[in-house]
């Protein structure tokens, strides 16, 4: 019998696996859900190199178990999920958060950087989804949350490789939602804007480039981070999805996410390309007039 669409999780507290919990959004989400009383399996590539979550969980006596998993590796993913299923009868929620970012122009960024970005951000999510989809379908309940980005709908140089991986994950999520809905399994996409994470702070660490877009985007991020949005705002959105019964697919997260998406949606493709091709002075003035942000850019940069 196929369960009612949008059915709530069968238990008041969920059993949840989160990928990429060593820092940033993943760490904040593990703490948010653990503090709410959910049983959390927090995974990361190398727990020994990222002890913050373990220390915090121990100090607060949170129901968080930290496990090693490299989402790039088939065997690592299979072994981790096998360990989880030995400890828990099922998983109610999968949060695909693990992600990396390489930035550079299409011409200058090495091909291996494109492959690495897609391997983690796209194929890594698929590996994890395939570990839970059948079990959730058979149980007739569950929730899969894929953390993408506003870059899953907005492509800006020099984030072409990153945006391509997030566009791909958004497309996958739409198809997955269609497949899982008849079986009572919800799929949600969370689209963070510019969030104060190590990844966002690294945008300015660009190598010299023939293209101007790198310094423009770095200045935009620097200006946005003057009023930082902490990873906890994204974690709160994930918790709302987990604890609710929404069938909504896309969930912008952070104060600038919805405005950025609406801004891009109001432009033609050609307008967007032109905006991102502006010279430095014109770009600075456009961002100031649109968002009221003063960027550290001038025509001599």
């Amino acid at each position: 019998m196929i369960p009612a669409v949008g059915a709530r999780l069968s238990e008041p507290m969920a059993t949840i696996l989160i990928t990429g919990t060593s820092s940033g959004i993943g760490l904040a989400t593990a703490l948010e859900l653990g503090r709410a009383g959910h049983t959390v399996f927090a995974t990361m590539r190398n727990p020994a190199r990222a002890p913050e979550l373990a220390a915090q969980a121990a100090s607060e006596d949170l129901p968080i178990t930290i496990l090693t998993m490299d989402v790039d590796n088939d065997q690592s993913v299979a072994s981790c999920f096998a360990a989880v299923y030995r400890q828990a009868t099922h998983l109610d929620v999968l949060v695909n958060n693990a992600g990396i970012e390489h930035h550079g122009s299409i011409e200058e960024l090495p091909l291996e950087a494109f492959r690495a970005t897609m391997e983690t951000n796209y194929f890594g999510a698929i590996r994890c989804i395939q570990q839970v989809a059948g079990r959730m379908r058979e149980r007739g309940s569950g929730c899969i949350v894929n953390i993408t980005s506003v870059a899953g709908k907005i492509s800006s140089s020099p984030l072409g490789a990153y945006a391509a991986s997030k566009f791909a994950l958004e497309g996958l999520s739409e198809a997955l939602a269609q497949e899982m809905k008849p079986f009572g399994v919800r799929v949600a996409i969370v689209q963070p804007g510019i969030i104060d994470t190590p990844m966002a702070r690294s945008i300015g660490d660009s190598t010299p480039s023939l293209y101007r877009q790198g310094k423009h985007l770095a200045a935009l991020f620097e200006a946005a981070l003057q009023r930082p949005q902490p990873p906890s705002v994204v974690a709160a959105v994930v918790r709302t999805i987990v604890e609710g019964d929404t069938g909504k697919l896309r969930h912008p997260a952070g104060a600038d996410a919805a405005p950025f998406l609406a801004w891009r949606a109001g432009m033609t493709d050609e307008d967007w390309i032109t905006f991102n091709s502006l010279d430095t002075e014109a770009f600075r003035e456009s961002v100031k007039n649109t968002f009221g942000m003063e960027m550290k850019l001038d025509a001599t940069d």
Side-chain angles (χ1 to χ4, degrees):
M1 178 179 178
I2 295 176
V5 172
R8 287 182 178 272
L9 295 171
S10 59
E11 299 173 4
M13 291 293 108
T15 302
I16 304 166
L17 186 142
I18 309 170
T19 69
T21 59
S22 61
S23 65
I25 291 169
L27 187 152
T29 301
L31 291 173
E32 176 82 20
L33 295 172
R35 287 166 178 159
H38 300 290
T39 298
V40 175
F41 292 95
T43 74
M44 59 186 79
R45 289 184 180 183
N46 191 339
R49 294 179 59 185
E52 181 181 351
L53 178 57
Q56 194 68 34
S59 70
E60 297 182 37
D61 193 25
L62 299 176
I64 297 175
T65 300
I66 296 174
L67 297 172
T68 300
M69 183 167 71
D70 179 358
V71 300
D72 291 4
N73 184 282
D74 292 350
Q75 185 57 50
S76 178
V77 171
S79 296
C80 182
F81 276 91
V84 169
Y85 289 129
R86 286 194 294 270
Q87 298 180 55
T89 58
H90 64 273
L91 282 170
D92 295 297
V93 180
L94 167 66
V95 180
N96 279 311
N97 169 73
I100 63 171
E101 180 269 312
H102 289 282
H103 52 270
S105 72
I106 307 304
E107 176 188 351
E108 296 165 315
L109 193 65
L111 185 59
E112 55 265 29
F114 288 89
R115 289 195 174 111
T117 304
M118 193 65 74
E119 193 67 65
T120 298
N121 298 359
Y122 179 65
F123 290 110
I126 294 173
R127 288 185 181 94
C128 295
I129 290 166
Q130 290 183 337
Q131 291 287 329
V132 303
R135 290 172 180 258
M136 289 182 175
R137 172 178 50 75
E138 290 171 357
R139 290 186 68 242
S141 66
C143 182
I144 297 171
V145 180
N146 293 329
I147 310 294
T148 63
S149 169
V150 295
K153 298 292 283 187
I154 303 174
S155 184
S156 300
S157 178
L159 295 181
Y162 181 75
S165 71
K166 295 300 186 178
F167 268 61
L169 185 54
E170 293 242 347
L172 181 89
S173 301
E174 283 195 18
L176 181 67
Q178 297 160 30
E179 294 166 359
M180 302 305 289
K181 183 173 182 178
F183 298 97
V185 179
R186 295 182 294 130
V187 175
I189 299 168
V190 176
Q191 301 168 306
I194 298 177
I195 304 298
D196 191 5
T197 64
M199 188 181 295
R201 293 281 177 181
S202 74
I203 295 296
D205 301 337
S206 297
T207 57
S209 173
L210 298 168
Y211 297 89
R212 63 169 66 107
Q213 285 83 5
K215 66 180 181 181
H216 290 179
L217 194 70
L220 178 63
F221 268 66
E222 183 181 4
L225 290 170
Q226 296 303 307
R227 293 174 288 181
Q229 290 282 292
S232 58
V233 303
V234 183
V237 172
V238 175
R239 180 180 171 186
T240 297
I241 294 167
V242 168
E243 294 181 348
D245 59 359
T246 178
K248 182 181 177 183
L249 180 62
R250 288 184 168 87
H251 303 259
D256 61 6
F260 273 142
L261 291 166
W263 177 48
R264 172 62 182 93
M267 291 186 184
T268 66
D269 294 337
E270 294 71 28
D271 287 341
W272 180 245
I273 291 167
T274 298
F275 166 74
N276 283 284
S277 305
L278 294 172
D279 64 34
T280 297
E281 181 60 23
F283 183 83
R284 185 189 67 79
E285 284 297 319
S286 181
V287 170
K288 179 180 178 180
N289 293 336
T290 303
F291 294 106
M293 290 195 297
E294 290 280 0
M295 296 190 302
K296 295 180 180 178
L297 276 174
D298 60 53
T300 63
D301 284 342

